[in-house]
Amino acid sequence: MDHKTGVRRHFLEGKTIIVAGGGVAGSAFVVGLRKIWKPEWKPPTIHIYDRDTQEVTAQRESYTLSLAGYDVAGGLLALRKLGLLDQILDKAVAGLDGIGAFKIWGPDWKEHVSFRHKPVDGLPASSIRIPRKDLRQVLHDGLGPNDTMQWGAKCVSARRLEDGRIQVQVMRGSPGEETTTEEECDILIAADGASSKLRASLRPGDKLDFAGAVLRGGVSRFEDTLPKPLDQDWGFMLSGTGISCFFSPVDKNSIVWAVGNLEDTQVPGLDLRNTEQVQSVIDRGLELGSPLQEPFRTIVAHTDPKTVLSINARDKKPFAHEKLHKMPVVFIGDSNHAVSPFSGFGANLALADGWDLAEQLCKGGSLTEAIAAYDKLAVPRATKILKGSRARLKAGHSTGVQYWVFWLMLVVGKFMGWVLGRKVT
């Protein structure tokens, strides 16, 4: 409390915050903090560092994300709190006005289940698909006029100074030509993704776990309309042979596809500049997806080589923050609790984390109090999603009796949804 003015002061007034990572979680946090921050408080200075250049980011974000509105942990609710829901809905490629839904198909494209949950809290849709680049751009458009975004700047380590502030080591430049600077801040927000350099530096034993599956795919381009039903719907095709494939429209002329299968070991990283490696991934995807009927092969044949992906499904349990008085670093999004692509909920968790952290920091009387309140929201939420993701990954790639047990569970779930009045068709 300022005794002269009678206005409650805030512990972040005039402080410097560094956000490592300009993706969904980090950007949502900054937008949220600016939205909630009271005008009578002196605003903090915020610097955002993103390891990729804008060009690399644009190339990597040629796919869509699912944003949920049927769950309080979903991204659509967080976006409404951020004041960005209308802008996001304008960018949706599927899921609005009852057009398009998440489906589960058999290998012959026979639809087995269509999920149309009732939206929570008056939201306009239970689930939408949106290009990741558009989600990120809407978030960046919501940043404050004085927030700085530095591309191609990677936060690799941090240490606490004697005065309690943090010194962050920031690396810039291409491999072999990097330069390093040291930046200071009062609070560091680590939102630098699943392969977080800051987590590796500050929590070296807290590593990603291999979930036992690999995704191979890419984005397919079409000159004409997309093959049905992928002009509107998205979801998984299950084969019963241990192979799954995810499909989703990206825009009116593009589809993302990704074949998943269980594997004992992780595959090496893919170099998109190596045409042989790229073609090998496409060929392996075709081989694995041989039980899947047309238009699967046609979709794969239209794959844009620049978008090919080969991803090891990896995840990590969430953790609560301790000893913030010694090291005021807060990990959010995938840097704290990575989920595999099979969860379909990573962006939702990132948006919820960003908003909740901003809200609790503005409400809290101290950093320790605020982060304790944040952890009570974020840790159980991420734990639940991670557990469900692992279970679905195994069930979706099951064979034999386990495969039919999974389908029985889906049918029972469909029936229970009807009994409870939920819209599951």
Side-chain angles (χ1 to χ4, degrees), residues 39-230:
E40 62 266 27
W41 294 342
K42 181 180 179 181
T45 299
I46 300 180
H47 302 296
I48 307 170
Y49 298 93
D50 197 277
R51 65 187 177 191
D52 292 329
T53 63
Q54 285 183 286
E55 293 75 15
V56 170
T57 297
Q59 183 177 352
R60 290 180 176 175
E61 296 188 336
S62 58
Y63 56 92
T64 58
L65 299 169
S66 179
L67 299 180
Y70 60 85
D71 191 302
V72 293
L76 292 183
L77 187 59
L79 284 162
R80 187 170 68 182
K81 294 175 180 177
L82 289 166
L84 301 175
L85 182 59
D86 289 342
Q87 295 94 309
I88 290 297
L89 295 178
D90 286 341
K91 304 291 185 179
V93 297
L96 288 178
D97 301 322
I99 300 174
F102 179 85
K103 308 284 180 94
I104 295 183
W105 299 282
D108 56 357
W109 290 94
K110 180 180 179 181
E111 179 185 311
H112 291 281
V113 181
S114 176
F115 292 92
R116 295 180 184 273
H117 299 287
K118 182 179 179 180
V120 299
D121 202 25
L123 288 170
S126 61
S127 181
I128 67 169
R129 297 291 300 185
I130 181 173
R132 190 181 191 278
K133 61 182 177 62
D134 289 340
L135 171 59
R136 187 160 173 165
Q137 188 59 57
V138 168
L139 289 169
H140 285 185
D141 290 344
L143 298 176
N146 297 319
D147 299 329
T148 63
M149 168 68 77
Q150 296 191 35
W151 299 96
K154 179 167 52 181
C155 298
V156 294
S157 64
R159 69 183 185 91
R160 185 176 184 273
L161 301 174
E162 292 184 0
D163 61 1
R165 304 188 83 216
I166 301 177
Q167 187 178 78
V168 184
Q169 188 179 42
V170 182
M171 186 177 294
R172 299 175 177 83
S174 56
E177 300 178 355
E178 298 97 341
T179 59
T180 302
T181 59
E182 292 178 337
E183 316 289 344
E184 293 187 14
C185 63
D186 298 284
I187 297 176
L188 173 60
I189 308 299
D192 53 341
S195 300
S196 169
K197 294 293 184 182
L198 289 172
R199 190 183 68 243
S201 173
L202 301 175
R203 299 173 59 91
D206 195 4
K207 300 180 179 180
L208 295 171
D209 297 318
F210 179 46
V214 176
L215 272 177
R216 297 174 176 87
V219 175
S220 299
R221 316 285 189 191
F222 292 83
E223 292 184 4
D224 299 319
T225 57
L226 301 178
K228 294 183 179 297
L230 299 174

